[in-house]
Amino acid sequence: AKSPSMFHFRRRGKEMVDLIADYLENIEQRTVYPDVEPGYLRSLIPEEAPEDPDTYEDVVKDIERVIMPGVTHWHSPYFYAYFPTANSFPAMLADMLSGAIGCIGFSWAASPACTELETVMMDWLGKMLKLPEDFIAGTHGQGGGVIQGTASEATLVALLAARCRAVRMILASDPQRPETGITSKLVAYSSDQAHCSVERAGMIAGVRMKKIPTDQSDKYAVQGETLRRMIQEDKAAGLIPFYFCATLGTTPSCAFDHITELGPICNAEKIWMHIDAAYAGSSFICPEFRPLLNGIEFADSFNFNAHKWLLVNFDYEFTLFAPLTLTHLSPSASPCLPLPHPVSPSTSQHWQIPLGRRFRSLKMWFVFRMYGLKGLQDYIRKHVELAKEFESLVRADQRFEISADVVLGLVCFRLKGSNEVNETLLKRINNGRKIHLVPCLLSGQFVLRFALCARTTESRHIREAWRLITQLAEEVMQELPH
Ligand code: PLP
């Protein structure tokens, strides 16, 4: 006999799918950016959880009353802020199944399918990206990948592994040296354009993190000569350079560090090179963008967010490690793993901070199979084409300028004139709530970022966004000196 709760679930589950479909189908009609003040929500719901259960109808009614007024609609075709976050029907369906299976895959035995599908999916992905065989578990069974929650976690894990490797290497040649004497001398590097999570990783790991200066004339890319000079100066001062985080596709302007030049420097100095390609990484599945990843063969580890631009809903961060790195986060004795692994195709539990892990690879399996490589490539290319279309609209208007090369789906632009004029323009755009953008600072200039985000954005949305921007620019330029 069916239990009442299962009956309830079947009915409400189907209704929920309809609610989601209606939300996504009509998202364009909603104001993309909410009109609420901080603290808006507390007064709309009770101070405490209900003693007796509420009905499902009561909860659903409150979605429009309590939740939707405070939602920034990231999947609206008028959302152009930050970088995209992925959303697709196959991924949402797989997420439901993952939630239902609800296993915690911390070891092979804890759920073999969870461990094995993830290992194989990471290999599928590695092959889509044409990564060196070293990164693919199914070839030598040595390097490989793991799904993390976010790019910030991936960068931190790589940094911790690099710190561990550096200490072990020094102790191997100088066993009497106190470990604290080594860690206090370690120095890591990243670009001044790197995401703030890289600096935070240094703080969490308790190591110095130096920012390498970049400038506009070098397209905001770290130059080999600058890295080499900083390493030599730091070594001369008695420090131990051990980690460099390169960025492919920086957050402000989507700049690319020259890893073909930086990689050999890191390799010669035994510095761990990690590559953070949080946004741009997905584009490397297209042959025309794959050259941006040339130099990966020098890297020790590499991460990107499939939940940004590869149609796999949050949270889904790929981290791939070259084989050398394999054991660096493995505890020597493993008291937290009570079950022996009869077969261990992946040591992924040693490549992340939490022990527990969800069955996230199901999302990848559904998405890769139901889109196919061609479907995913088409989706990336469409966003890049729309970015180029927006770029040409900006270039055709003499009042505006483009602030950085448009390589993928991000256009950095500004009104020719003061920061004040541009800040006012952005404020007007966001207060209008029809479209949503965020700024960045490039060489001291206030710049507007127009990022292609939603899966459903079309040319008509881009043209409408540009119409709104130019109309507000007209107003701002009449009011302010520029
Ligand atoms: N690295 C880069 C280059 C990014 O652009 C971002 C976010 O946009 C991050 C790291 C942080 O990503 P996450 O939220 O996955 O930690």
Side-chain angles (χ1 to χ4, degrees), residues 146-167:
V146 64
I147 302 168
Q148 317 257 352
T150 63
S152 311
E153 283 169 60
T155 310
L156 174 61
V157 168
L159 180 67
L160 294 173
R163 189 183 67 177
C164 197
R165 181 177 83 173
V167 170

Side-chain angles (χ1 to χ4, degrees), residues 83 150-152 195 197 247 249 251 276 278 305 307-308:
F83 274 136
T150 63
S152 311
H195 191 263
S197 54
T247 311
T251 319
D276 174 18
N305 291 148
H307 67 240
K308 276 192 165 55

Side-chain angles (χ1 to χ4, degrees), residues 202-435:
M203 290 165 74
I204 298 169
V207 294
R208 274 181 203 80
M209 176 71 71
K210 292 199 174 178
K211 288 187 183 174
I212 305 173
T214 60
D215 71 41
Q216 192 170 18
S217 59
D218 294 322
K219 303 188 177 193
Y220 301 106
V222 170
Q223 303 298 299
E225 211 23 66
T226 322
L227 176 65
R228 206 190 311 269
R229 183 170 37 76
M230 286 177 73
I231 293 170
Q232 294 318 328
E233 285 171 7
D234 285 338
K235 280 168 61 173
L239 298 179
I240 308 168
F242 80 105
Y243 176 86
F244 167 59
C245 178
T247 311
L248 296 182
T250 59
T251 319
S253 68
C254 201
F256 291 80
D257 289 338
H258 296 166
I259 54 172
T260 45
E261 193 185 321
L262 299 160
I265 300 172
C266 291
N267 288 181
E269 297 285 347
K270 298 194 170 50
I271 291 174
W272 180 300
M273 183 165 81
H274 177 72
I275 298 174
D276 174 18
Y279 163 67
S282 301
S283 73
F284 306 150
I285 64 165
C286 300
E288 66 273 33
F289 303 126
R290 176 57 179 79
L292 295 166
L293 187 61
N294 287 352
I296 177 73
E297 60 278 14
F298 300 113
D300 293 282
S301 51
F302 160 59
N303 76 268
F304 77 93
N305 291 148
H307 67 240
K308 276 192 165 55
W309 210 14
L310 209 58
L311 292 169
V312 185
N313 288 49
F314 191 78
D315 54 341
Y316 208 104
E317 169 67 32
F318 294 119
T319 314
L320 290 124
F321 291 94
L324 257 183
T325 65
L326 190 69
T327 52
H328 290 293
L329 278 183
S330 311
S332 46
S334 212
C336 49
L337 294 175
L339 295 173
H341 308 198
V343 185
S344 190
S346 158
T347 47
S348 51
Q349 68 274 12
H350 296 315
W351 294 350
Q352 61 167 16
I353 293 164
L355 177 67
R357 41 200 4 264
R358 298 198 301 125
F359 200 164
R360 285 179 287 208
S361 55
L362 275 176
K363 289 194 276 188
M364 195 172 170
W365 196 46
F366 275 46
V367 169
F368 286 3
R369 293 182 65 188
M370 291 173 69
Y371 274 89
L373 178 57
K374 283 192 184 143
L376 295 169
Q377 289 171 334
D378 287 349
Y379 163 67
I380 299 272
R381 286 175 181 140
K382 184 175 151 197
H383 271 189
V384 179
E385 271 166 32
L386 289 170
K388 297 279 178 200
E389 181 179 342
F390 186 81
E391 180 191 10
S392 47
L393 291 170
V394 178
R395 286 198 189 279
D397 189 325
Q398 293 306 305
R399 297 167 300 176
F400 286 88
E401 62 193 359
I402 292 287
S403 308
D405 283 3
V406 179
V407 183
L408 298 173
L410 175 70
V411 184
C412 289
F413 72 106
R414 67 194 303 279
L415 275 168
K416 290 173 187 162
S418 68
N419 281 353
E420 191 195 356
V421 164
N422 282 285
E423 279 177 51
T424 311
L425 172 60
L426 184 70
K427 224 176 263 165
R428 295 273 168 95
I429 290 172
N430 286 332
N431 286 345
R433 301 177 202 285
K434 273 287 287 175
I435 59 173

Side-chain angles (χ1 to χ4, degrees), residues 48-186:
E48 279 162 33
E51 192 79 35
D52 296 314
D54 284 342
T55 64
Y56 181 76
E57 285 83 352
D58 289 337
V59 179
V60 166
K61 241 189 288 154
D62 281 350
I63 296 174
E64 282 301 329
R65 186 180 70 87
V66 179
I67 303 300
M68 287 302 171
V71 171
T72 302
H73 297 285
W74 283 63
H75 300 288
S76 161
Y78 292 118
F79 180 91
Y80 305 109
Y82 314 105
F83 274 136
T85 189
N87 176 298
S88 72
F89 299 121
M92 283 187 268
L93 292 172
D95 227 349
M96 284 170 72
L97 181 60
S98 165
I101 293 174
C103 62
I104 307 291
F106 54 77
S107 69
W108 182 86
S111 196
C114 178
T115 302
E116 294 203 14
L117 186 65
E118 181 164 333
T119 311
V120 180
M121 285 304 100
M122 297 306 286
D123 282 5
W124 277 20
L125 179 79
K127 289 174 192 171
M128 279 159 70
L129 293 167
K130 306 256 180 300
L131 290 185
E133 282 201 347
D134 277 357
F135 285 85
I136 295 176
T139 49
H140 305 131
Q142 290 182 22
V146 64
I147 302 168
Q148 317 257 352
T150 63
S152 311
E153 283 169 60
T155 310
L156 174 61
V157 168
L159 180 67
L160 294 173
R163 189 183 67 177
C164 197
R165 181 177 83 173
V167 170
R168 285 184 195 175
M169 276 188 328
I170 294 168
L171 286 178
S173 60
D174 185 2
Q176 302 312 319
R177 195 162 168 183
E179 199 168 316
T180 48
I182 302 170
T183 49
S184 64
K185 298 279 180 208
L186 293 175

